[in-house]
Amino acid sequence: MANGNRAVLFDSPKHMKVEELDFPKLEMPNGKKAPHGAILKMVATNICGSDLHIYRGSFPVPQGMVMGHEMTGEVVEVGPDVEFLTEGDLVSVPFNVACGRCRNCRARRTEVCETTNADVSCAAYGFNLGNWDGGQAEYLFVPYADFQLLRFPDKDQAMEKIRDLALLSDILPTAFHGLMEAGAKPGSTVYIAGAGPVGRCGAAAARLLGASCIIVGDYHQDRLDLVKSNGCETIDLSQDIPLTDQIEAILGEPMVDCAVDYVGTEAHGIGADAQSMDPANAINQVLDATRAGGATGVIGVYGPDPLAASKDEQQGTYPIDFGKAWIKSPRVTAGQAPIMHYNRELMMAILWDRMPYLSAMLNTQVISLDEAPAAYETFDQGSPNKFIIDPHGMLSA
């Protein structure tokens, strides 16, 4: 058994560092023993777009917090109360920390677990939500392991598809959740705000669902090229043309059946305002683009932002064009995704080659733990890559 645990830590805005920590114990953040827990050896641990909120300083976290909430690992230790997992199992870790026992967890609403964060009904690894260490590390403690961990049925088969399966902790089920809440189905026309990794997962998930026309809007041409080459229509939001006019040029009508905001408060304006931050722009885009009676999923992160321009936005109040949208009888669903609601089915879709275009859409790049701080900087600059950290050299091998 290893003695230490090298991990990526938040040091200050725009600065991550790798340091040696103690090997994790089967203990809760409050020091209480966790016989229901497990220790994992990280096989793949990704950098997520949500991590950039922390990196930039928009989501305050304590100095020295272990980063990361997208983890795939191998079980190396289990507590005495764990019955369905054994050492050597390869598993996916949902980013929502959930007990499996409270009212919300029993209703499969694991994104709002009532017990794993004393301050609010929401807990996550590496996100200052319940003091749970993140997984951009060599090893990770996971509580309630029997409930939380998704075991891959065949380890060798899973390792062959590990770049895709590594997306099951967060961005693929999150993207799928946005489409489900927006009512996407076979034949739907879909607008996706944002061509970052989660938006590209949304495009791939829309194809899995049988959507007809999938339109993706973004400012980065290399990201748009990725989705364009995989069967999507694209809109360059830096063009000084109203979004609905650009949708009409593609569809013949200025609206879609459903739309999803995969951006959140770090959105920019359109056209001449493309270089300026406009925290409410993405949600206003999808409200504007969705037809009367349609639905919208809001997956992008919203909340108080100390870097926002106005006092209201710093406190988490945003100028939403709801008055204009209200007449269309919209249905809007927002918040984190309950990963366990979708991850098993999406795992099977990957294992049985129902999403063969996922890797091409995501443009995954495997890096070492020591390369993670530089990868954060590259990702922050708009890189089209999805960075997967390989702490033990298991993927390159």
Side-chain angles (χ1 to χ4, degrees):
M1 188 70 69
N3 294 318
N5 182 28
R6 297 179 71 242
V8 179
L9 309 183
F10 173 82
D11 188 46
S12 60
K14 300 294 184 82
H15 186 221
M16 301 293 182
K17 61 182 180 180
V18 178
E19 287 195 355
E20 180 90 15
L21 305 175
D22 292 336
F23 190 81
K25 300 177 181 179
L26 293 173
E27 291 184 355
M28 305 293 274
N30 61 8
K32 183 179 179 180
K33 298 296 184 183
H36 48 71
I39 307 296
L40 305 184
K41 177 182 180 180
M42 290 293 93
V43 174
T45 174
N46 316 335
I47 300 177
C48 176
S50 296
D51 293 325
L52 291 183
H53 294 282
I54 298 172
Y55 176 76
R56 294 166 180 160
S58 294
F59 191 96
V61 300
Q63 185 181 34
M65 188 192 76
V66 181
M67 294 292 297
H69 58 272
E70 295 188 358
M71 295 84 68
T72 307
E74 179 183 354
V75 177
V76 295
E77 183 181 347
V78 295
D81 289 351
V82 176
E83 298 185 19
F84 303 107
L85 295 165
T86 59
E87 293 181 16
D89 285 344
L90 189 63
V91 295
S92 179
V93 187
F95 84 88
N96 324 112
V97 187
C99 68
R101 306 170 179 181
C102 69
R103 175 181 177 179
N104 284 340
C105 283
R106 289 165 67 89
R108 299 184 74 185
R109 294 295 306 276
T110 53
E111 84 280 19
V112 283
C113 175
E114 298 174 315
T115 70
T116 46
N117 184 349
D119 298 323
V120 66
S121 294
C122 174
Y125 300 95
F127 232 107
N128 196 26
L129 290 170
N131 297 317
W132 298 95
D133 282 343
Q136 289 174 10
E138 292 177 326
Y139 297 92
L140 174 73
F141 161 66
V142 175
Y144 310 109
D146 276 334
F147 174 69
Q148 284 208 100
L149 296 176
L150 173 66
R151 185 178 67 85
F152 300 134
D154 185 295
K155 189 172 182 179
D156 291 337
Q157 180 192 26
M159 286 302 296
E160 291 176 1
K161 299 179 183 295
I162 194 63
R163 288 189 183 217
D164 289 353
L165 294 171
L167 307 175
L168 290 173
S169 283
D170 179 7
I171 64 169
L172 182 56
T174 289
F176 194 84
H177 175 66
L179 291 163
M180 289 290 94
E181 296 302 325
K185 58 186 179 181
S188 293
T189 57
V190 178
Y191 175 67
I192 289 172
V198 68
R200 298 200 300 272
C201 274
R207 288 193 61 181
L208 177 67
L209 289 167
S212 54
C213 182
I214 305 165
I215 305 171
V216 183
D218 201 283
Y219 307 90
H220 297 280
Q221 192 57 51
D222 47 2
R223 292 179 170 186
L224 292 174
D225 289 344
L226 274 175
V227 294
K228 183 75 171 179
S229 64
N230 284 278
C232 299
E233 300 296 325
T234 60
I235 289 176
D236 181 352
L237 296 175
S238 64
Q239 295 183 21
D240 204 8
I241 304 171
L243 174 63
T244 51
D245 288 357
Q246 297 193 62
I247 291 175
E248 185 171 18
I250 295 170
L251 276 178
E253 57 182 356
M255 63 199 74
V256 293
D257 296 324
C258 46
V260 186
D261 164 14
Y262 290 116
V263 182
T265 59
E266 295 187 336
H268 289 66
I270 293 179
D273 297 322
Q275 300 302 316
S276 302
M277 294 289 290
D278 183 355
N281 185 52
I283 188 171
N284 285 328
Q285 277 185 45
V286 296
L287 287 171
D288 190 33
T290 305
R291 69 175 180 83
T296 298
V298 181
I299 298 304
V301 176
Y302 287 87
D305 182 355
L307 303 183
S310 74
K311 184 177 180 179
D312 282 347
E313 290 165 354
Q314 291 170 10
Q315 296 175 346
T317 301
Y318 299 95
I320 307 300
D321 292 338
F322 196 70
K324 185 170 65 175
W326 180 87
I327 196 66
K328 295 193 291 184
S329 295
R331 190 186 70 188
V332 181
T333 303
Q336 294 183 3
I339 300 304
M340 294 177 67
H341 200 77
Y342 309 103
N343 62 353
R344 180 173 296 278
E345 289 80 3
L346 290 168
M347 173 189 75
M348 296 304 291
I350 291 170
L351 292 175
W352 290 95
D353 297 321
R354 295 299 180 260
M355 304 186 76
Y357 34 77
L358 189 57
S359 288
M361 198 88 85
L362 266 290
N363 203 34
T364 54
Q365 179 179 340
V366 176
I367 60 173
S368 70
L369 200 63
D370 289 314
E371 293 173 308
Y376 266 95
E377 182 177 356
T378 302
F379 191 21
D380 183 45
Q381 294 170 353
S383 168
N385 294 326
K386 170 68 173 177
F387 292 103
I388 298 179
I389 303 170
D390 178 11
H392 296 280
M394 299 176 72
L395 306 191
S396 56

